[in-house]
Amino acid sequence: MDTTRTATEKRNLESVFNFLRRIGARISTVDKLEEEQYRLREGFDRYHVEVIEDKAPDRIFGNLREDSSINLNFFEASVQRTQLVGHFLYDGYEIPAHYCIIGALILERQGRRFRVWEKPKTLECILAPKKFLADSEELINAYGQDASVPFFDSGGVDLDYTQLRIAAVNFARTKKWDLRSELIQQWNFVNGGKGNLLLINDTILAVSNLRLTYEVAGFVKMTYVPFKGRENLPIFLSLDAYKRGVVMKIEEPSNPESVKYSWFLRLRDPYGQSPEFGLVRIEIVAKSDNEAISKANELSEAIARERLPVTYPATDWDKLIFPHKLAEQYVESLFPTRETIRAYFRFA
């Protein structure tokens, strides 16, 4: 057992518990994370999507006998866990308090082995709406940025318990995007322009193009396209196995630097399964529409190969490639489990 890590976990949990006691909160130990309770799509309606390709190529991708021009050896994964740990009263209304865990790392593949690239980025923090806290400035001073578990204002201005919980998850999501952006920028500085590809296990829409290069791609498991203009998209749920859909342009009209390109790719044969089985969406940046279409073929070839080895029986294995599974397991191992957190607050 790693005694240093155990001591750190205990110290951090004690810090959160002392914060709850200081604000007079009652302990909550719910089963589910807030990310599992609320499927968040806020903010995506500011993007617009349009098709830039007449039709997708009638081609099977992922043929293991073909050479690929893409050097896909870097894989990013992150964790975001917003756990309700307490609640307190404000004028008779219940107000939630959360313990939030965020982490991001990149795995580098060298031959048949993986190693952690540089250092993971991690953050453990306490989230509560500052507006409803007495002595909030004193709390900010006591639990500042230099604290092992700092306190952040989760936002939320309405005395609505559910909306305050959603506000905490939204805040955590923003923090995760910030952490990931820092990691990507660091990777770009070292590896940009060397022909490598970094595959992010999530959307990259929230990452500024100024922090991206043409060697970073997003790997999105959600098939719903929550953007304006989606009613004009062709049918993609019937996409055949190992084929890609048409290339789309996604942009925020008010931000000309936000343009990204995307397409669907079917990693598994959906026969006997749901229409979403094995269907992922890839996101990239490109200099032009034509370049995006060319890169769609190159990346589809490289990413489709990652379907082997199969990660079954892992959760959502049909959309989970092996390097991302390893990265997720590693980043999760850096923090106490949700069960450990629940047990601590239940018996504290």
Side-chain angles (χ1 to χ4, degrees):
M1 179 181 293
D2 187 339
T3 56
T4 301
R5 176 186 161 186
T6 301
T8 299
E9 287 185 2
K10 182 178 179 182
R11 179 200 65 196
N12 290 351
L13 290 170
E14 285 179 349
S15 181
V16 177
F17 180 78
N18 290 335
F19 179 92
L20 295 176
R21 185 169 57 183
R22 181 167 178 171
I23 65 174
R26 288 168 287 177
I27 301 300
S28 299
T29 54
V30 297
D31 293 331
K32 292 186 176 182
L33 301 175
E34 301 295 57
E35 286 80 6
E36 297 168 343
Q37 297 272 25
Y38 307 107
R39 189 173 183 179
L40 302 178
R41 290 171 180 156
E42 289 85 346
F44 286 116
D45 58 352
R46 70 179 185 270
Y47 295 100
H48 181 270
V49 60
E50 65 174 318
V51 175
I52 64 164
E53 191 176 23
D54 293 334
K55 63 178 182 179
D58 185 18
R59 172 182 170 185
I60 299 295
F61 291 95
N63 190 331
L64 299 181
R65 292 172 297 180
E66 294 182 5
D67 292 331
S68 174
S69 59
I70 299 294
N71 182 23
L72 176 51
N73 285 319
F74 293 89
F75 304 87
E76 185 274 348
S78 58
V79 59
Q80 174 190 329
R81 286 200 256 128
T82 312
Q83 198 157 351
L84 184 66
V85 291
H87 53 106
F88 59 96
L89 287 174
Y90 178 87
D91 285 347
Y93 290 90
E94 292 284 2
I95 309 296
H98 295 85
Y99 177 32
C100 179
I101 285 174
I102 300 169
L105 63 79
I106 294 173
L107 284 190
E108 178 182 2
R109 180 166 54 195
Q110 297 178 336
R112 300 177 63 86
R113 296 179 179 273
F114 289 86
R115 72 174 186 89
V116 177
W117 181 82
E118 296 294 336
K119 289 184 178 180
K121 290 190 175 293
T122 62
L123 173 66
E124 297 177 57
C125 59
I126 304 163
L127 301 181
K130 175 184 174 182
K131 179 178 179 180
F132 308 116
L133 282 170
D135 302 322
S136 58
E137 295 303 325
E138 292 183 13
L139 288 170
I140 290 173
N141 291 332
Y143 293 84
Q145 298 282 355
D146 295 330
S148 58
V149 186
F151 159 65
F152 291 104
D153 178 13
S154 58
V157 295
D158 298 323
L159 287 169
D160 184 303
Y161 185 68
T162 298
Q163 290 302 317
L164 291 173
R165 292 173 68 178
I166 292 174
V169 188
N170 277 327
F171 182 90
R173 182 175 60 175
T174 300
K175 280 292 184 183
K176 180 183 71 173
W177 286 341
D178 290 344
L179 213 65
R180 177 186 291 142
S181 293
E182 294 173 8
L183 187 62
I184 291 173
Q185 190 174 35
Q186 184 180 351
W187 182 88
N188 285 335
F189 181 77
V190 177
N191 294 285
K194 297 181 179 180
N196 297 301
L197 177 69
L198 170 61
L199 191 61
I200 308 295
N201 192 20
D202 201 353
T203 178
I204 58 172
L205 290 180
V207 182
S208 168
N209 285 7
L210 299 176
R211 289 196 169 186
L212 292 171
T213 68
Y214 302 109
E215 297 165 321
V216 177
F219 186 91
V220 185
K221 299 184 180 71
M222 186 177 71
T223 56
Y224 176 61
V225 183
F227 313 126
K228 293 179 180 178
R230 61 182 179 273
E231 64 277 2
N232 298 319
L233 298 181
I235 296 172
F236 54 82
L237 287 177
S238 58
L239 195 64
D240 291 336
Y242 321 124
K243 291 188 175 182
R244 75 163 177 86
V246 295
V247 177
M248 306 168 282
K249 180 188 288 186
I250 303 174
E251 62 181 323
E252 190 176 357
S254 62
N255 182 7
E257 299 296 329
S258 68
V259 175
K260 294 180 177 69
Y261 295 89
S262 182
W263 65 93
F264 283 97
L265 175 66
R266 180 83 70 177
L267 293 179
R268 318 281 180 197
D269 189 340
Y271 179 77
Q273 304 288 344
S274 75
E276 296 179 308
F277 186 82
L279 191 63
V280 297
R281 185 168 57 80
I282 311 302
E283 296 174 348
I284 63 169
V285 293
K287 298 176 182 177
S288 65
D289 293 357
N290 289 335
E291 183 184 74
I293 293 171
S294 176
K295 290 182 68 175
N297 291 330
E298 294 177 345
L299 266 66
S300 294
E301 182 67 37
I303 293 172
R305 295 184 184 191
E306 299 295 335
R307 70 186 187 276
L308 299 173
V310 176
T311 59
Y312 181 84
T315 302
D316 297 328
W317 68 270
D318 59 304
K319 301 184 181 188
L320 180 63
I321 60 176
F322 185 72
H324 278 159
K325 177 185 177 182
L326 288 182
E328 287 179 353
Q329 289 176 335
Y330 194 103
V331 71
E332 282 281 3
S333 73
L334 301 175
F335 304 102
T337 65
R338 67 173 80 183
E339 291 77 14
T340 297
I341 295 171
R342 288 188 64 216
Y344 178 88
F345 287 106
R346 185 184 296 118
F347 300 111

